[in-house]
Amino acid sequence: MPMTAPPTIALVGPGAIGTTVAAALHEADRTPALFGRTAHDHLELRFEGGRIRVPGPVRTDPADIETTFDLVFVAVKTTQVEAASKWLSALCSEKTVACVLQNGVEQKTLFAPYLSRDQVLPSAVWFPAQRESDASVWLRAKPKLTLPDTPAARIVLAALRDTRCSVEVTEDFTSAAWRKLLQNAVAGLMVLTGRRAGMYSRSDIETLSIAYLNEVIQEIVDAFKCAPAELGTSILADRQARRPLEWDTRNGVIQRCGQAHGIPSPVSDLIVPLLAAASDGPG
Ligand SMILES: NC(=O)c1ccc[n+]([C@@H]2O[C@H](COP(=O)([O-])OP(=O)(O)OC[C@H]3O[C@@H](n4cnc5c(N)ncnc54)[C@H](OP(=O)(O)O)[C@@H]3O)[C@@H](O)[C@H]2O)c1
């Protein structure tokens, strides 16, 4: 029987999420080629009980790329997609699957200017990871991804099989992605207070969170109440570092969908402009 060559794998955006997936692949001898904005000679993932060093380099010039890849993980922020699109044209052929490791529910639309819809495989990313000042990444829970049950998902299932990053597929990916989005939306309140998960133990914040979600989402608020008080969120880390925020993909989308369907969203109408101004100014 002919041997099938293992898929070639690249990763664009080796930040908190990208480093975690790169480390999981590296541990299974499937080290991806790394491409990013900032050069590094290696990546480092730290977690309870150990650390993984992923050999680089992280390459920063698309002109250096000689070949396309079977699978490209894209883990830049949603605010960085346009700037990172030069990598997509260099790394992807029409057969490449681009697995988008981002929050939000609009990945196919976001990547439509650069890739065909069938190539774009969205994911729900269920683990918190944060970049540390020494350029390592601190992984704070067991990595897990959910993908839509489509043919494109098979290459990701194969690439991450038997690694520390588990992958599940679901026929109802829309519900999974919206569930994660609602979690992200409530996490946006941390930006407005500059506080971490501990603030959800306040009853007034719980009331506000429930009003914001306005659905059967007590479960999500309960999860925040039980989280370690010092647990943050990537949008809070971005705010504290005065970087642009993913406010539109994480919070604005609820307001936009409400407007499209004629559903009032008074809490969004208050929160979204405050997040947008925190991100984009002026002032
Ligand atoms: N962190 C979490 O816990 C978490 C959990 C679930 C989902 N998410 C989602 O996952 C996505 C990635 O978040 P993250 O926290 O991993 O972000 P991150 O740590 O900021 O990583 C983004 C990476 O992309 C790189 N990058 C920026 N612009 C680029 C460009 N033009 N070309 C190539 N690389 C570029 C950054 O480089 P620099 O080093 O130069 O900044 C960085 O390595 C976001 O949508 C986020 O909402 C995050």
Side-chain angles (χ1 to χ4, degrees):
M1 215 166 69
M3 294 273 288
T4 314
T8 53
I9 308 174
L11 186 138
V12 179
I17 297 304
T19 295
T20 304
V21 170
L25 291 165
H26 175 63
E27 256 191 319
D29 289 330
R30 298 169 205 148
T31 314
L34 303 172
F35 303 96
R37 180 169 64 178
T38 305
H40 295 282
D41 61 8
H42 69 279
L43 305 175
E44 182 129 338
L45 183 73
R46 187 161 66 78
F47 49 89
E48 207 180 313
R51 51 178 69 217
I52 300 169
R53 185 186 164 98
V54 184
V58 175
R59 282 182 274 167
T60 56
D61 186 355
D64 293 344
I65 296 171
E66 308 95 25
T67 180
T68 56
F69 288 78
D70 299 318
L71 171 60
V72 176
F73 286 102
V74 185
V76 299
K77 291 250 159 81
T78 55
T79 49
Q80 298 163 336
V81 170
E82 191 183 343
S85 63
K86 58 191 178 191
W87 293 108
L88 302 176
S89 41
L91 296 169
C92 298
S93 74
E94 60 194 19
K95 291 186 183 155
T96 302
V97 170
C99 180
V100 179
L101 304 170
Q102 284 182 338
N103 278 316
V105 292
E106 299 166 303
Q107 289 97 338
K108 286 200 183 253
T109 309
L110 197 59
F111 284 83
Y114 318 111
L115 296 167
S116 76
R117 281 184 86 79
D118 288 347
Q119 281 185 288
V120 179
L121 181 68
S123 67
V125 180
W126 293 108
F127 53 92
Q130 64 197 53
R131 290 205 275 182
E132 300 290 283
S133 50
D134 64 356
S136 70
V137 167
W138 182 20
L139 173 62
R140 303 201 54 172
K142 191 173 160 12
K144 184 181 146 192
L145 303 175
T146 303
L147 307 176
D149 192 1
T150 60
R154 283 185 212 135
I155 191 169
V156 179
L157 283 166
L160 287 169
R161 180 171 298 133
D162 299 329
T163 70
R164 69 173 59 238
C165 181
S166 62
V167 184
E168 64 170 26
V169 292
T170 172
E171 286 179 7
D172 186 10
F173 179 73
T174 304
S175 297
W178 271 95
R179 189 182 184 288
K180 180 67 208 291
L181 186 93
L182 293 172
Q183 198 173 306
N184 290 144
V186 167
L189 299 179
M190 292 193 219
V191 171
L192 301 177
T193 58
R195 298 261 175 195
R196 299 187 181 204
M199 73 177 208
Y200 295 96
S201 62
R202 291 181 62 103
S203 60
D204 48 4
I205 294 293
E206 180 178 4
T207 305
L208 174 61
S209 301
I210 295 289
Y212 185 23
L213 295 170
N214 194 24
E215 286 175 30
V216 195
I217 315 290
Q218 178 71 43
E219 195 193 333
I220 286 175
V221 180
D222 284 348
F224 275 113
K225 283 164 70 182
C226 298
E230 86 295 354
L231 184 75
T233 171
S234 59
I235 194 170
L236 176 61
D238 283 339
R239 175 65 191 129
Q240 287 168 337
R242 302 188 74 81
R243 292 187 289 253
L245 307 180
E246 292 179 304
W247 63 268
D248 188 46
T249 32
R250 295 172 58 130
N251 299 83
V253 60
I254 296 172
Q255 189 187 39
R256 282 188 277 113
C257 287
Q259 283 165 355
H261 293 95
I263 301 168
S265 56
V267 182
S268 285
D269 295 345
L270 178 69
I271 286 170
V272 170
L274 292 172
L275 288 171
S279 172
D280 305 338

